Amino acid sequence: MAQQEDVFKKIVSHAKEYGFVFQSSEIYDGLAAVYDYGQNGVELKNNIKRYWWDAMTLLHENIVGIDSAIFMHPTIWKASGHVDAFNDPLIDNRDSKKRYRADVLIEDAIAKIDEKIEKEVAKAAKRFGESFNEELFRQTNPRVVEHVNKRNALHQRFSDAMNNNDLEELRQIIIDEEIVCPISGTRNWTDVRQFNLMFKTEMGSTADGAMTVYLRPETAQGIFVNYLNVQKTGRMRLPFGIAQIGKAFRNEIVARQFIFRMREFEQMEMQFFVRPGDEMKWFKFWKETRLRWHKALGLGDEKYRYHDHEKLAHYANAATDIEFEMPFGFKEVEGIHSRTNFDLSQHEKFSGKKIQYFDPELNESYVPYVIETSIGVDRMFLSVLCSSYEEQVLEGGESRVVLHLPAALAPVKCAVMPLVKKDGLPDKAREIVNDLKFDFSTHYDEKDSIGKRYRRQDAIGTPFCITVDHQTLEDNTVTLRERDSMEQTRVNVADLHKLIHDRVALTSLLRRLG
Ligand code: GAP
């Protein structure tokens, strides 16, 4: 675990050193849980968004996109339930004056018991070697059984408290489990209180009577309130979907793990409107479709798992997360939710407008049901970055840091390098750049030794390096070096475009999705 934490620290500093992610307002000592994307980060992020957008809008003829405003009428958040129920349970330690999420403190305590169980299993596996029967050991070892029983009882008590919104019980669990403040080491806890996560601001001058508006905490509501506009103007028939990418804001109290939990972040959400009664069929469809989208990137199938929700959000009748194995454990990257007709019905009620669909097959009108897929761009970015990072020791004792980014997502697709800065090689290299730059993000680099230049490109995940040497001037061939294998092949300049395209085009990823 400590080793994984070290790797994560290295990834965070690599992200800064190579222009992927910077702390916001760094020269003013930063702003907590807010980050900026640098010159390479923005390209990687844009490529992730393009992959999602095209997978939604090109591959599904019944999905269209919108781009709604961040500011919306404040009643929308009353209708959606966010004003009353978008809360985190918070608890303060009186000695350290630090504030925590009560649910996170308890989840951490559960995770500690899980760790103890896994440690026992790992110890026994080492002791028994080949003959180890893990399943039998888990079922019969008295220490493991005791931990499992304790864990399950605690988990049940915790879920009940969360589902019943029982704040006193949450506090009691913290007391009973003897959870201490990591800073003060004491158990001097306050009561648990609910804290709303929405940011507020004022719209209009006070003389006109300013109105309190919220920075949207999810992009989904912008889709719901445009449902009728899109359905009517696009003459959409059920089932159909509306996709949107945009910023969302949450006043997260426990903001940690770099860009995993931020106060300003970006979501890619799609609401799929279906006939009531069909929602479970579509829930299953989107669960599978979204996992296929993730796996097509080739980051490793074993790094994904589903986590079905026990505590459902106020609007959902089924929900699952797609979790990805980060260096700090399996974590939610995407949620797939069956949101019933809750949101549209609420907007009908609060706006007084009829929001219904006339189903020509059934010859009746109803409020559609909704399946939502909701993924955080920044979390997706983090999962791609973490799983791509590798420190390699090469033959001869040299080493390199390489990002094995999926080629279609890489910020730079190829780098063209004259072997030396003379003899007309730079001119030839520029000529190649000028040809490739219309289709691929292409770098030109003539500084330092060729080895150093390769390392620089490896560190930002550039799939191809093209080296121009004296032979190029004679026969119009170059060396094409591939990032992962470091293999170098001699190819004709005329073939470069196709060779690069075949590997880096987004189309090749999309084709895997069918
Ligand atoms: N419309 C449903 C919705 O917003 P959510 O589970 O609260 O559901 C969806 O959020 C996704 O948004 C999460 O799976 C995660 O990837 C991302 N996300 C949520 N809060 C985030 C935060 N504070 N920082 C970064 N990403 C976040």
Side-chain angles (χ1 to χ4, degrees), residues 27-47:
I27 59 170
Y28 290 95
D29 295 333
L31 184 65
V34 186
Y35 291 90
D36 297 337
Y37 286 84
Q39 67 279 15
N40 289 317
V42 68
E43 298 292 344
L44 173 55
K45 198 177 180 211
N46 283 343
N47 292 338

Side-chain angles (χ1 to χ4, degrees), residues 86 217-220 250 252 259-267 269 271 315 321 332-335 337 339 372 374-380:
F86 195 55
E218 62 170 15
T219 58
R250 295 182 190 178
E252 299 281 2
I259 55 171
F260 182 78
R261 196 178 298 286
M262 302 153 88
R263 297 201 165 106
E264 172 179 341
F265 58 101
E266 210 163 352
Q267 288 186 315
E269 299 203 292
Q271 314 296 130
Y315 48 73
D321 294 336
E332 171 191 346
V333 173
E334 171 156 8
H337 312 122
R339 288 180 81 132
E372 162 184 81
S374 174
I375 169 171
V377 181
D378 313 273
R379 282 196 194 172
M380 189 61 208

